[in-house]
């Protein structure tokens, strides 16, 4: 039984070893083929750097991108900027939009899906940021309105307290006018209990 299990495994192993052929050696005279390699590794490297190292890293990428005008370098820079603040993310979105609009982009490098994904993410973040800003403005307006209403309510309560005080003063004056007048009336003689 064991032989029948091992036989297919050995057969597959032998076929696999026959299919392995040595890679052709690259001629040193051939120019290097541009490729969008290590894009995500640069993205991860940037995430682990401190602020000063990030600035140097970005400057290096910008220099390389300016010299080569290469789509991969542009995408690499956009990926790195996509981790920054609002201004950097706006620059990243512009770079990716330029890449996608250029038409010469990344098909040959198999990086088009990554560029599209980054573009969608950055646009979604921008939409959310604008919505957040709008909601913050509305919240600020609501809070201002709430303060205004609280002030109006306090004014109304103050007026109500004043009116109650005035009413109480009037009642006290009326009471003081009625009570002394009753004291000045002559006392009634009580009826004679004898009846006669």
């Amino acid at each position: 039984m064991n032989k029948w299990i091992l036989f297919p495994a050995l057969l597959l192993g032998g076929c696999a070893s026959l299919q392995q052929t040595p890679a052709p050696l690259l001629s040193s005279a051939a120019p290097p083929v541009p490729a969008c390699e290590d894009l995500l590794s640069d993205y991860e490297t940037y995430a682990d750097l401190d602020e000063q190292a990030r600035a140097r890293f970005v400057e290096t990428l910008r220099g390389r991108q300016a010299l080569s005008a290469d789509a991969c370098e542009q995408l690499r820079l956009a990926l790195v900027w996509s981790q920054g603040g609002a201004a950097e993310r706006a620059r990243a979105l512009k770079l990716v939009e330029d890449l996608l609009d250029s038409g010469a982009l990344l098909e040959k490098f198999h990086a088009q899906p990554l560029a599209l994904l980054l573009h969608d993410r950055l646009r979604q973040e921008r939409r959310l940021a604008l919505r957040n800003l709008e909601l913050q403005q509305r919240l600020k307006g609501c809070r201002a309105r709430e303060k205004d209403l609280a002030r109006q309510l306090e004014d109304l309560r103050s007026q109500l307290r004043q009116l109650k005080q005035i009413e109480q003063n009037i009642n006290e004056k009326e009471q003081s006018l009625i009570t002394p007048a009753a004291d000045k009336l002559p006392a009634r003689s009580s009826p004679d209990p004898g009846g006669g």
Side-chain angles (χ1 to χ4, degrees), residues 187-195:
R188 283 188 186 174
S189 57
S190 56
D192 187 8

Side-chain angles (χ1 to χ4, degrees), residues 1 3 48 50 59-60 67-68 83 107 122 126 129 153 159 172 193:
M1 184 88 174
K3 287 189 257 180
D48 294 333
D50 63 25
E59 284 310 309
T60 301
L67 287 174
S68 68
Q83 298 182 70
E107 284 292 343
L122 290 168
R126 186 175 67 180
L153 180 61
Q159 290 174 14
E172 287 173 358

Side-chain angles (χ1 to χ4, degrees), residues 35-39 41-42 56-77 80:
C36 288
E37 295 176 358
D38 298 328
L39 289 171
S41 107
D42 282 344
R56 289 191 302 272
F57 192 85
V58 167
E59 284 310 309
T60 301
L61 289 180
R62 288 180 78 180
R64 283 185 359 208
Q65 192 265 330
L67 287 174
S68 68
D70 180 54
C72 291
E73 293 300 325
Q74 198 167 346
L75 182 57
R76 190 180 314 276
L77 185 57
V80 166

Side-chain angles (χ1 to χ4, degrees), residues 139-152:
L139 179 61
K140 190 176 176 182
C142 287
R143 285 182 177 157
R145 180 77 178 133
E146 180 185 5
K147 281 184 180 177
D148 188 45
L149 289 172
R151 192 172 52 251
Q152 289 179 22

Side-chain angles (χ1 to χ4, degrees), residues 144-179:
R145 180 77 178 133
E146 180 185 5
K147 281 184 180 177
D148 188 45
L149 289 172
R151 192 172 52 251
Q152 289 179 22
L153 180 61
E154 187 52 43
D155 289 347
L156 290 172
R157 284 179 176 159
S158 176
Q159 290 174 14
L160 183 61
R161 283 192 296 271
Q162 290 173 3
L163 287 173
K164 284 184 177 179
Q165 186 63 43
I166 291 170
E167 182 183 16
Q168 184 178 354
N169 290 344
I170 290 172
N171 286 341
E172 287 173 358
K173 284 182 181 177
E174 285 179 352
Q175 191 64 32
S176 68
L177 290 175
I178 292 171
T179 303

